[in-house]
Amino acid sequence: MSIPSDLEIAQKATLKPLDDIAAAMELPSHLLEMHGRDVAKIELDAIDVMADRPQAKYVVVTAITPTPLGEGKTTTTVGLGQAFSHIGKRGVVAIRQPSMGPTFGIKGGAAGGGYSQVVPMEKFNLHLTGDFHAVTSAHNMLSAVLDNHLYQGNAAGLDPYRVTWRRVLDVNDRALRNVVTGLGGRMDGVPRESGFDITSASEVMAILALSTSLEDMRARLGRIVVGYTGDGDAVTAEDIHGAGSMAALMRDALKPNLMQTLENTPVLVHSGPFGNIATGNSSIVADRIGIHCGDYLVTEAGFGADMGAERFFNIKCRTSGMVPDAAVVVATVRALKAHSGNHRIVAGKDLPPALLEENPDEVHAGGANLRKQIENMRIHGVSPVVCINAFPTDHPSEHAAIREIGESMGARVAVSTHFTDGGAGGAELAEAVAEAANEPGDFRFLYADDAPLREKIEAVATKVYGADGVDYAPAANTSIDLYERNGFSNLPVCIAKTHLSISSDPKLLGAPTGWRMPVREVRASVGAGFVYPICGDMRTMPGLGKQPAAHSIDVQPDGTIVGLF
């Protein structure tokens, strides 16, 4: 079956006026701040205005450990949101805004796909209402204030060799990973080594996602640690008088963006924290509004359930106080076959022909990964629903194999064809999610707030990842001791590791056992409110590939954008 490209489908969409979308959410139109015809910001007053209304069921969409191509979590999130209308319910979707780095890199956009997309696709992927630019500006404002503080006498006593705050830019540019600032003459600043991360990796982006109000965001910005003194005392953005200007730049960015799907389902698009070193979830503010706007609020957690969902449960829900009613675990035939160890999938290259051949035994061989991710939902007391995200190249026997694996774990399983059939193709999934969400809840965190940092790290590593234990490099131990001395031990942990394995080694497929997790270093995002141990080499500034999407994106004479996919 051949269907048009995502961009072709999106550009033929029939959009409703956003006043109509808001009316379907019972959101008063005076709370909308229009940005053109197709996008609006929602005033923060909506949180209080909607607070006394009934709450929707809260559903998070996660996945098995993905291949480098991804397994369709965003598409499933959008498709499920649309599908609720096909079973007589009202769905609302809440997702992250994509970084323009991957949009112009290998990924090419993140608005969903096929007939389950957020539209307009071009606005969704390019600038939107400028929130990413606000994050970039606020982050770099603090960088400028920091360097000026050093130049003007360094009253805070910052050790230039212990400055931890870098700069950001929303592009993939490997040449900026490591730079030296302050070169030139004496009037050009204090020379020091630094570098750039991509904007989605900024702590300011994580703060945008985890703030509960404008007042909370202002306080979090002030708590950002920019470095340490020679005695090991933390120096904050508040200490160097940079937080107020940051808050001014971020004020409007805290308002969520309202869009719609191809089927006119409301979508709240807000924030875009990095999935490796941050939470990989959309904003709390958007959820606090969306939870009162329908029967089901469907949100997405980045990467596999061992990463995005674990952080959703233990960081986002801990901060928001909101409790999930059900979780969707997206599984694909190709990913489970890949976890058999018989195939190698490379981003940007065609799938191996053997992967497309009918082989339910390979699905079963890779099934340990699905079983472990279902278990990871149950560890947190959340009812899982396995979504078989169907591809045209799949075979019925392979779907039956996934169903057998899921049902053997006591999970509901549904086949969904939302990519090709839109919301109607997700009706079976919507029914299963509705049943799961009506079960009595037993949500629980993995660890206590007051547990020591090492205990929190080891709880995630052993219970969620299946490690036998954790090995800390000397630098990691030094950092943990420093953070606990500075009073950061009450923060949750966000383990930065590969997304291509439940383990910390991308080569270990399925559900590895008999391994130990090495922690190379530990960093703290104190303003955002978490500590992140780093396992392996985490790139926070991607580079462009040999044939990036940037080569094909263009504008026609009539203004139509082409080349997005």
Side-chain angles (χ1 to χ4, degrees):
M1 176 183 176
S2 177
I3 65 172
S5 71
D6 290 351
L7 183 58
E8 289 172 330
I9 292 170
Q11 289 178 337
K12 293 178 180 178
T14 301
L15 277 65
K16 285 187 176 180
L18 282 183
D19 281 348
D20 293 351
I21 301 298
M25 303 165 67
E26 299 182 19
L27 180 68
S29 60
H30 74 270
L31 295 172
L32 298 185
E33 178 186 294
M34 296 303 299
H35 285 250
R37 290 176 297 178
D38 307 320
V39 182
K41 279 196 166 291
I42 302 175
E43 298 285 351
L44 296 182
D45 290 346
I47 295 174
D48 292 331
V49 169
M50 310 286 283
D52 293 333
R53 299 188 183 181
Q55 286 200 9
K57 295 292 186 180
Y58 194 28
V59 180
V60 61
V61 177
T62 183
I64 62 173
T65 302
T67 68
L69 306 179
E71 307 316 310
K73 285 191 309 301
T74 305
T75 306
T76 300
T77 302
V78 175
L80 176 58
Q82 294 181 153
F84 280 116
S85 67
H86 293 267
I87 65 167
K89 303 292 184 180
R90 294 184 302 149
V92 177
V93 173
I95 56 176
R96 289 180 292 171
Q97 180 182 343
S99 165
M100 286 194 292
T103 294
F104 286 91
I106 198 167
K107 193 170 184 180
Y115 289 94
S116 293
Q117 292 189 58
V118 180
V119 285
M121 179 187 182
E122 303 94 325
K123 288 188 178 179
F124 181 87
N125 286 294
L126 305 174
H127 304 294
L128 198 56
T129 55
D131 294 347
F132 268 62
H133 302 310
V135 170
T136 302
S137 296
H139 184 115
N140 292 335
M141 170 66 76
L142 181 57
S143 301
V145 169
L146 169 61
D147 279 308
N148 185 60
H149 186 88
L150 294 174
Y151 178 77
Q152 299 293 350
N154 192 11
L158 265 167
D159 182 346
Y161 294 99
R162 302 183 79 176
V163 171
T164 55
W165 195 253
R166 291 157 54 94
R167 284 171 166 80
V168 297
L169 200 63
D170 194 30
V171 295
N172 287 3
D173 192 347
R174 62 175 58 83
L176 294 177
R177 287 172 182 163
N178 300 286
V179 302
V180 177
T181 61
L183 294 179
R186 186 176 65 85
M187 300 295 291
D188 297 316
V190 178
R192 64 182 184 87
E193 289 188 29
S194 187
F196 280 78
D197 300 318
I198 197 164
T199 296
S200 56
S202 167
E203 183 176 347
V204 180
M205 184 66 81
I207 287 172
L208 177 64
L210 290 169
S211 294
T212 57
S213 65
L214 183 60
E215 182 181 16
D216 182 42
M217 182 178 73
R218 172 61 182 84
R220 288 172 178 272
L221 292 171
R223 292 197 295 268
I224 290 172
V225 173
V226 298
Y228 297 85
T229 67
D231 294 330
D233 296 328
V235 178
T236 66
E238 204 71 71
D239 292 334
I240 62 172
H241 309 293
S245 294
M246 296 174 74
L249 289 168
M250 290 294 295
R251 182 193 65 177
D252 290 337
L254 189 58
K255 303 171 185 176
N257 305 293
L258 178 62
M259 299 184 73
Q260 60 188 288
T261 73
L262 291 167
E263 297 181 12
N264 313 119
T265 301
V267 183
L268 299 169
V269 182
H270 201 215
S271 78
F274 212 58
N276 286 100
I277 65 165
T279 55
N281 287 275
S282 58
S283 79
I284 287 173
V285 168
D287 286 0
R288 290 185 70 190
I289 295 171
I291 200 74
H292 298 289
C293 293
D295 299 315
Y296 295 87
L297 175 61
V298 185
T299 190
E300 174 195 358
F303 295 137
D306 53 297
M307 295 187 70
E310 184 274 316
R311 297 164 187 180
F312 175 85
F313 298 142
N314 292 298
I315 301 177
K316 183 177 180 181
C317 292
R318 191 185 298 264
T319 303
S320 70
M322 298 171 65
V323 175
D325 295 291
V328 175
V329 180
V330 179
T332 61
V333 167
R334 72 181 185 192
L336 288 174
K337 284 183 172 180
H339 280 289
S340 73
N342 297 334
H343 307 281
R344 183 168 178 263
I345 299 176
V346 179
K349 294 186 178 182
D350 292 337
L351 293 172
L355 187 75
L356 305 180
E357 296 175 1
E358 183 173 7
N359 195 333
D361 290 341
E362 279 191 341
V363 175
H364 279 289
N369 188 271
L370 174 56
R371 285 190 286 271
K372 178 56 179 165
Q373 301 292 28
I374 292 172
E375 180 185 307
N376 286 338
M377 299 301 97
R378 296 203 184 281
I379 287 172
H380 293 92
V382 180
S383 296
V385 176
V386 175
C387 168
I388 302 174
N389 183 17
F391 284 63
T393 52
D394 296 347
H395 300 275
S397 63
E398 295 168 334
H399 288 175
I402 298 176
R403 187 179 294 277
E404 183 178 338
I405 295 166
E407 290 179 347
S408 73
M409 295 292 293
R412 293 176 173 83
V413 182
V415 176
S416 187
T417 59
H418 49 271
F419 183 90
T420 53
D421 300 318
E428 179 188 350
L429 175 62
E431 294 280 11
V433 170
E435 290 179 5
N438 283 327
E439 290 184 346
D442 186 30
F443 177 72
R444 52 192 175 271
F445 298 122
L446 196 64
Y447 48 78
D449 285 340
D450 58 0
L453 289 174
R454 289 178 181 84
E455 184 177 318
K456 294 173 181 175
I457 294 166
E458 288 159 19
V460 177
T462 58
K463 295 179 182 179
V464 176
Y465 304 161
D468 287 346
V470 180
D471 296 321
Y472 298 93
N477 277 318
T478 299
S479 294
I480 291 174
D481 293 341
L482 174 68
Y483 298 152
E484 293 190 333
R485 184 169 74 80
N486 276 278
F488 306 156
S489 59
N490 64 316
L491 299 178
V493 296
C494 180
I495 297 177
K497 71 172 188 68
T498 179
H499 63 284
L500 298 175
S501 172
I502 292 181
S503 76
S504 57
D505 183 347
K507 297 187 293 294
L508 299 180
L509 303 176
T513 57
W515 61 281
R516 295 182 64 83
M517 188 177 80
V519 175
R520 176 171 58 85
E521 62 177 303
V522 183
R523 300 177 187 174
S525 291
V526 180
F530 55 80
V531 169
Y532 61 104
I534 298 176
C535 307
D537 185 18
M538 291 293 108
R539 291 291 189 191
T540 53
M541 171 54 85
L544 291 174
K546 190 172 183 179
Q547 294 292 330
H551 288 183
S552 60
I553 295 172
D554 208 335
V555 181
Q556 294 180 336
D558 64 356
T560 301
I561 292 174
V562 297
L564 281 171
F565 56 89

